[in-house]
């Protein structure tokens, strides 16, 4: 396996902005493209939920989640599985990701497999507020503890609590090659931890401005990767040079430098022979660059899903419509 350096995914205007000087300008040239927007003639899936998942791993807490079912889903055929942490932000109709549109458009063109997609929020007690696009829950939910710890607790939430609940209603393939998980910021390190701790269940990861820093010890991943036998994980990382850089006056803490730690992680994965891709832009700590890049990331991590290549297969060479009713 080898690293594939992603060619610029977006057209950027050449501009320099010093740190602290009009910083929003570093993100303003990242825009959602046509694959992230509704397109005429493309079948739309259905968003089911919200549902509540009580947690035994984190007693007293519960996770809110939604399930997106594409128009092409056939209960008689096993579907792939994709999970997005911080689900509320990923499905916001006017948000910076709009993952459901990406799924509709790429599924229609057969660029990704038919998949059940889950958008799950961090855990909270019943008294705590639900996270929102403006407040993801770092101050008033269990998000920091669940997402930033390098242990098997959050992976247990996903594998031992969420997946059995999904299996009751949907026909999901047991093949870990058909299981992916994504997140941004702390949700990204949580996604990687799920695959790292449960490589028998998840082989695909998408990370946007991942918090692989010393919030709860996440900066040690490069060393863990180098000293551990390679696992069957494929990952795509997006980050910007204007992510949180841990500059406090004359002081600098490399363990809290988001971009530096993302680079270290990719270098370790590359050295170990992982199937890894990355794109370093000029963006800030947010979802602007990652949202604009999501279609390309999805295409890349799902690029070799099982499909026939018979030139006589006219169905496979056509757009993927809804299942034909029997």
């Amino acid at each position: 396996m080898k690293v594939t350096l992603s060619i610029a995914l977006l057209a950027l205007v050449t501009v320099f902005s010093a740190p602290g000087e009009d910083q929003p300008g570093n993100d303003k040239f990242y825009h959602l493209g046509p694959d992230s927007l509704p397109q005429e003639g493309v079948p739309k899936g259905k968003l089911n939920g919200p549902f509540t998942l009580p947690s035994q791993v984190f007693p007293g807490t519960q996770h809110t989640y939604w399930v997106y079912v594409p128009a092409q889903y056939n209960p008689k055929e096993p579907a792939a599985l994709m999970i997005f942490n911080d689900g509320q932000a990923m499905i916001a109709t006017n948000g910076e990701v709009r993952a459901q549109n990406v799924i509709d458009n790429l599924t229609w063109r057969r660029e990704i497999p038919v998949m059940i997609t889950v958008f799950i929020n961090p855990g909270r007690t019943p008294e705590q507020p639900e996270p929102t696009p403006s407040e993801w829950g770092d101050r008033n939910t269990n998000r920091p503890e669940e997402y930033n710890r390098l242990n098997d607790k959050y992976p247990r939430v996903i594998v031992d609590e969420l997946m059995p609940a999904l299996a009751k209603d949907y026909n999901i393939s047991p093949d870990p090659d058909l299981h992916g998980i994504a997140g941004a910021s702390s949700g990204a390190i949580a996604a990687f931890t799920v695959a790292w701790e449960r490589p028998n269940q998840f082989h695909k990861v998408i990370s946007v401005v991942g918090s692989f820093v010393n919030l709860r010890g996440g900066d040690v991943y490069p060393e863990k990767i180098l000293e551990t036998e390679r696992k069957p994980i494929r990952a795509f990382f997006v980050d910007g040079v204007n992510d949180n850089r841990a500059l406090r006056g004359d002081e600098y803490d490399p363990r809290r430098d988001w971009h530096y730690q993302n680079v270290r992680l990719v270098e370790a994965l590359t050295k170990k022979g992982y199937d890894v891709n990355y794109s370093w832009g000029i963006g800030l700590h947010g979802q602007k660059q990652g949202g604009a890049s999501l279609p390309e990331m999805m295409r890349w991590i799902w690029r070799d899903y099982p499909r026939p290549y018979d030139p006589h297969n006219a169905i496979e060479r056509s757009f993927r419509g809804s299942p034909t009713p029997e």
Side-chain angles (χ1 to χ4, degrees):
M1 299 182 187
K2 63 180 182 178
V3 172
T4 306
L5 175 59
S6 179
I7 298 174
L9 303 176
L10 308 163
L12 298 178
V13 174
T14 303
V15 60
F16 177 79
S17 177
E21 179 184 325
D22 188 28
Q23 279 203 338
N26 296 321
D27 264 350
K28 70 181 180 182
F29 294 105
Y30 292 108
H31 303 292
L32 296 180
D35 286 338
S36 301
L37 303 173
Q39 297 299 322
E40 184 178 356
V42 175
K44 292 179 172 54
K46 180 181 180 182
L47 186 65
N48 297 324
F51 304 107
T52 299
L53 182 72
S55 180
Q56 299 300 316
V57 179
F58 295 98
T61 68
Q62 60 192 35
H63 294 79
T64 300
Y65 69 98
W66 297 260
V67 180
Y68 194 70
V69 183
Q72 297 86 350
Y73 172 66
N74 183 347
K76 295 183 178 181
E77 298 179 3
L81 174 66
M82 188 74 199
I83 295 174
F84 286 84
N85 293 329
D86 291 308
Q88 52 78 26
M90 304 299 173
I91 55 173
T93 54
N94 294 317
E96 297 172 340
V97 178
R98 309 184 200 183
Q100 64 273 37
N101 296 334
V102 176
I103 294 163
D104 286 341
N105 291 323
L106 271 56
T107 303
W108 172 237
R109 298 201 303 267
R110 299 181 185 271
E111 295 175 359
I112 59 175
V114 174
M115 60 180 62
I116 296 297
T117 306
V118 181
F119 300 92
I120 184 168
N121 280 355
R124 62 183 180 88
T125 66
E127 296 77 24
Q128 290 176 323
E130 195 73 68
T132 68
S134 60
E135 175 49 71
W136 288 25
D138 283 329
R139 298 175 180 84
N140 49 24
T141 74
N142 206 36
R143 184 176 189 265
E145 184 64 23
E146 288 186 6
Y147 283 5
N148 293 314
R149 291 284 184 194
L150 304 193
N151 57 36
D152 72 341
K153 285 191 172 182
Y154 187 66
R156 285 162 54 198
V157 170
I158 297 299
V159 175
D160 300 336
E161 296 183 342
L162 176 63
M163 292 178 69
L166 297 173
K168 295 177 182 178
D169 298 314
Y170 304 101
N171 184 1
I172 296 174
S173 171
D175 185 352
D177 275 342
L178 293 177
H179 296 170
I181 186 166
S185 189
S186 293
I189 188 173
F192 188 84
T193 298
V194 169
W196 181 261
E197 294 289 338
R198 296 296 183 95
N200 62 326
Q201 290 290 341
F202 285 87
H203 285 179
K204 293 174 169 60
V205 177
I206 286 177
S207 167
V208 175
V209 296
S211 298
F212 298 97
V213 294
N214 188 27
L215 295 177
R216 299 279 197 285
D219 61 306
V220 304
Y221 257 133
E223 288 73 27
K224 289 171 68 71
I225 288 163
L226 292 175
E227 67 188 21
T228 305
E229 183 178 351
R230 182 167 56 85
K231 303 184 181 187
I233 298 172
R234 170 184 293 172
F236 199 132
F237 299 84
V238 164
D239 193 50
V241 294
N242 287 296
D243 199 345
N244 299 328
R245 300 308 304 265
L247 295 170
R248 299 290 184 272
D250 294 332
E251 297 182 0
Y252 170 65
D253 181 0
R255 299 182 66 193
R256 297 292 292 267
D257 183 335
W258 261 252
H259 184 62
Y260 174 61
Q261 294 301 333
N262 271 267
V263 171
R264 287 185 67 235
L265 180 62
V266 167
E267 288 178 345
L269 290 166
T270 302
K271 185 174 182 179
K272 201 68 176 182
Y274 279 80
D275 190 9
V276 60
N277 200 349
Y278 61 97
S279 178
W280 305 145
I282 200 170
L284 305 173
H285 189 76
Q287 295 192 97
K288 285 285 190 180
Q289 182 184 351
S293 304
L294 181 61
E296 182 62 24
M297 290 189 281
M298 288 287 284
R299 274 188 286 263
W300 188 83
I301 67 166
W302 292 104
R303 67 187 187 271
D304 53 3
Y305 78 89
R307 57 185 298 188
Y309 290 98
D310 181 356
H312 302 290
N313 189 333
I315 294 177
E316 188 64 24
R317 293 168 58 191
S318 63
F319 292 113
R320 184 188 276 136
S322 302
T324 302
E326 297 183 358

